[in-house]
Amino acid sequence: DEVLLMASFALKAAKLMPKQLFVVRLHPVLSRTFVEKMLEDLGKIPKNFQLSEYKLVDDLNRSNWICYRGSTVVIESIIKGLRPIFLNLSQNVKNNDPLPESLRFRKVVDQEQMLIELISNDKQYLSKNNNDLQECVKFGKQYIMPFDSKKIIDKLSVNGP
């Protein structure tokens, strides 16, 4: 249901903004073939819409925005400098958004036209030196702590087997 909801939204947005590429990443447990068959029911697929065939890191490196619904992939995305845009399609932002409302760089949209306007305005606004972006990146880096095997080894060495 979530894939159909998001893909339908992305398709409509792609038709409204034909010069902007819209990429949908599938959850790893979903069958690409199944999703492609679902998309056939939504009508003609524009050339600026695609299902990703790349690794996550590659998609993040080639993107400026991430539209999400409750996925923690948004944390990795903001660390890479992408603008997080919560798709509030069920009016459930308070229950499903893993990002706090206090992050000014995070945006919420509930209609395709709102997304198009945001992207159009952002093309002039996005900058790696943006203070709101830096606040978002800091949040992401504090949220995801890198694995430090040295700490585990030190702890095991002190306490013994």
Side-chain angles (χ1 to χ4, degrees):
D1 290 345
E2 280 294 305
V3 172
L4 186 57
L5 191 65
M6 292 183 73
S8 177
F9 184 92
L11 277 169
K12 290 175 188 171
K15 290 174 182 174
L16 289 171
M17 195 174 204
K19 292 185 178 179
Q20 178 66 50
L21 177 62
F22 290 83
V23 178
V24 174
R25 284 196 57 80
L26 299 180
H27 191 282
V29 300
L30 286 175
S31 159
R32 183 180 184 86
T33 305
F34 175 75
V35 172
E36 287 171 340
K37 286 180 181 175
M38 268 186 6
L39 291 176
E40 289 174 5
D41 294 337
L42 298 178
K44 187 174 189 255
I45 306 296
K47 292 180 181 183
N48 64 325
F49 174 91
Q50 60 184 230
L51 295 179
S52 177
E53 295 182 12
Y54 294 92
K55 293 179 185 177
L56 175 60
V57 69
D58 295 329
D59 274 340
L60 297 180
N61 287 333
R62 69 186 188 131
S63 300
N64 290 312
W65 304 273
I66 179 169
C67 294
Y68 68 100
R69 287 181 46 83
S71 172
T72 55
V73 169
V74 71
I75 305 294
E76 292 178 64
S77 302
I78 61 176
I79 291 171
K80 291 281 192 183
L82 278 64
R83 158 102 60 201
I85 304 170
F86 183 83
L87 298 182
N88 195 27
L89 308 179
S90 313
Q91 303 303 311
N92 61 352
V93 65
K94 293 198 184 295
N95 299 328
N96 286 339
D97 191 349
L99 297 182
E101 285 182 57
S102 61
L103 292 177
R104 292 182 302 269
F105 198 62
R106 165 194 160 271
K107 298 296 179 188
V108 177
V109 301
D110 55 22
Q111 297 174 10
E112 296 83 2
Q113 190 59 43
M114 290 174 69
L115 177 63
I116 299 308
E117 289 172 17
L118 176 62
I119 290 172
S120 296
N121 293 333
D122 263 3
K123 288 185 178 190
Q124 300 158 3
Y125 177 73
L126 289 179
S127 161
K128 299 296 179 191
N129 296 324
N130 178 304
N131 288 334
D132 292 344
L133 167 62
Q134 293 309 313
E135 174 192 36
C136 223
V137 170
K138 181 180 176 187
F139 170 83
K141 287 182 176 178
Q142 290 173 342
Y143 190 92
I144 296 178
M145 301 301 281
F147 181 72
D148 186 353
S149 59
K150 184 179 179 329
K151 288 186 179 183
I152 293 174
I153 292 169
D154 289 348
K155 183 74 170 167
L156 290 173
S157 297
V158 170
N159 293 333

